[in-house]
Amino acid sequence: MKVTEHIEQAKGKTLFSFEIIPPQKGQNINDLYANIDPLMEFNPPFIDVTTSREERIYIAKGNGLLEQKITRMRPGTVGICAALKYKYNVDAIPHVLCGGFTKEETEYVLVDCHYLGLDNVMALRGDSMKHEQYFKPVDGGNEYAVDLVSQISDLNKGKYLHEIIETPHKANFCIGVAGYPEKHMESPSMDADLRRLKQKVDAGADYVVTQMFFDNQKYFEFVRKAKEIGINVPIIPGIKPIAISRHLQVLPQVFKLDLPDVLVREIEGCKNNKEIRQVGIAWAIQQSKELIQAGVPVVHFYSMGKSSNIYTIAKEVF
Ligand code: FAD
């Protein structure tokens, strides 16, 4: 079922959902299930599965030399989605990236998703590779998420690449895209970023999931401004509970977002990561309660592979 249909069916009740990252290759999928199992108590209508960019690795050749290879360390997004769908009877949403894929490869991924009965896809540009300063699409790849949304929308119209096939048997993907309550790091201004978001919606995006934020006012303001320029699709807030002291440096650095000073002070006052985890849980509970009170359609949690803090939050809130 589509995310938008889940939201309609809920008739104003806020839903719980979360995102997971595929395990590193070579690991056991049962570890992933062990993290997901407890969260199923809260009836998530859908679970997102990220796609990781490929990265450079170095292999020792034994003669003092290193060989460089490009590889994807966490493959398996579509396979995991299919496994989750059939194990838990839940809608699983693969993240599909521009970065690292040609349009042809993207088409193959989408065809797989269609055959597997995955009704939703999240269309993202992806970040630059770790060693690159700026994002670069591969030759023949989509440059921006809006181009990917257009490609998926074309499939929904029965139009495949090169227009060699036009078929009455159409895909019917519900398309999610990313939104940034504190603006995307590369965007020159908040308004410019919102206009880009509007382009994604105009190209066929059905809903938006936001980057994590720690100050609900930023989300409320973002939604207000989005509506003002005619973005009328659901905007799902993304929440991440802080869990370790390093998050204070890493989250602003990687996602270019602000942490409220009250939260920073509370974390700085903690003696260890155990205490920080409790502060993170309490903050996310407070955020979620306020968002639910405001009538958001879904509260979406970034689990980063660990679910025990999200379980505690969901138990308190849902
Ligand atoms: P876009 O919408 O293409 O925007 C990228 C930048 O380009 C923005 O600054 C925008 O304003 C600008 N822009 C857009 N269109 C144009 C244009 N035509 N001309 C000029 N500028 C333009 N990353 C992963 O690698 N894997 C994941 O699974 C993943 N999941 C995510 C899930 C969510 C909910 C979110 C919020 C992010 C996720 N990301 C993921 C991160 C995301 O890929 C990065 O934030 C990336 O830098 C931007 O992706 P986007 O889809 O927002 O790009």
Side-chain angles (χ1 to χ4, degrees), residues 19 50-53 95 97 122-127 144-146 178-180 184 186-187 192-193 196 199-200 209-211 302:
E19 171 187 291
T50 63
T51 291
S52 64
R53 281 302 310 265
H95 289 193
L97 301 184
M122 186 77 189
L124 300 144
R125 188 197 69 177
D127 285 319
Y144 292 105
V146 66
Y180 301 85
H184 184 259
E186 294 163 31
S187 198
D193 206 27
R196 297 300 183 193
Q199 286 174 350
K200 293 193 274 193
V209 182
T210 75
Q211 184 56 279
Y302 293 106

Side-chain angles (χ1 to χ4, degrees), residues 46-209:
F46 59 89
I47 301 172
D48 275 64
V49 184
T50 63
T51 291
S52 64
R53 281 302 310 265
E54 66 281 26
E55 56 192 275
R56 267 186 190 162
I57 56 161
Y58 295 93
I59 298 154
K61 297 294 289 174
N63 52 2
L65 295 175
L66 294 173
E67 188 183 358
Q68 180 189 295
K69 294 267 183 204
I70 303 279
T71 189
R72 218 172 274 275
M73 292 305 288
R74 294 176 183 273
T77 300
V78 171
I80 291 172
C81 283
L84 298 186
K85 181 176 167 69
Y86 293 104
K87 180 174 168 62
Y88 296 108
N89 193 21
V90 69
D91 280 299
I93 307 181
H95 289 193
V96 179
L97 301 184
C98 302
F101 295 92
T102 63
K103 288 183 194 172
E104 301 285 346
E105 288 162 341
T106 298
E107 189 170 270
Y108 306 149
V109 169
L110 292 168
V111 167
D112 285 347
C113 293
H114 183 48
Y115 287 152
L116 286 165
L118 303 176
D119 294 329
N120 305 276
V121 288
M122 186 77 189
L124 300 144
R125 188 197 69 177
D127 285 319
S128 54
M129 284 171 72
K130 281 188 189 131
H131 62 276
E132 288 174 344
Q133 199 176 358
Y134 302 107
F135 175 85
K136 272 202 283 241
V138 296
D139 281 348
N142 287 306
E143 189 170 3
Y144 292 105
V146 66
D147 306 318
L148 177 54
V149 172
S150 297
Q151 185 180 359
I152 303 167
S153 293
D154 277 351
L155 277 195
N156 284 349
K157 292 177 198 134
K159 276 205 253 171
Y160 287 73
L161 287 176
H162 320 307
E163 299 188 357
I164 44 171
I165 301 173
E166 199 156 325
T167 161
H169 179 69
K170 299 172 179 147
N172 188 17
F173 290 115
C174 176
I175 308 170
V177 290
Y180 301 85
E182 299 185 52
K183 157 182 125 47
H184 184 259
M185 63 187 98
E186 294 163 31
S187 198
S189 72
M190 190 69 220
D191 287 351
D193 206 27
L194 275 162
R195 287 195 294 276
R196 297 300 183 193
L197 180 60
K198 173 89 166 42
Q199 286 174 350
K200 293 193 274 193
V201 173
D202 291 345
D206 297 290
Y207 69 100
V208 177
V209 182

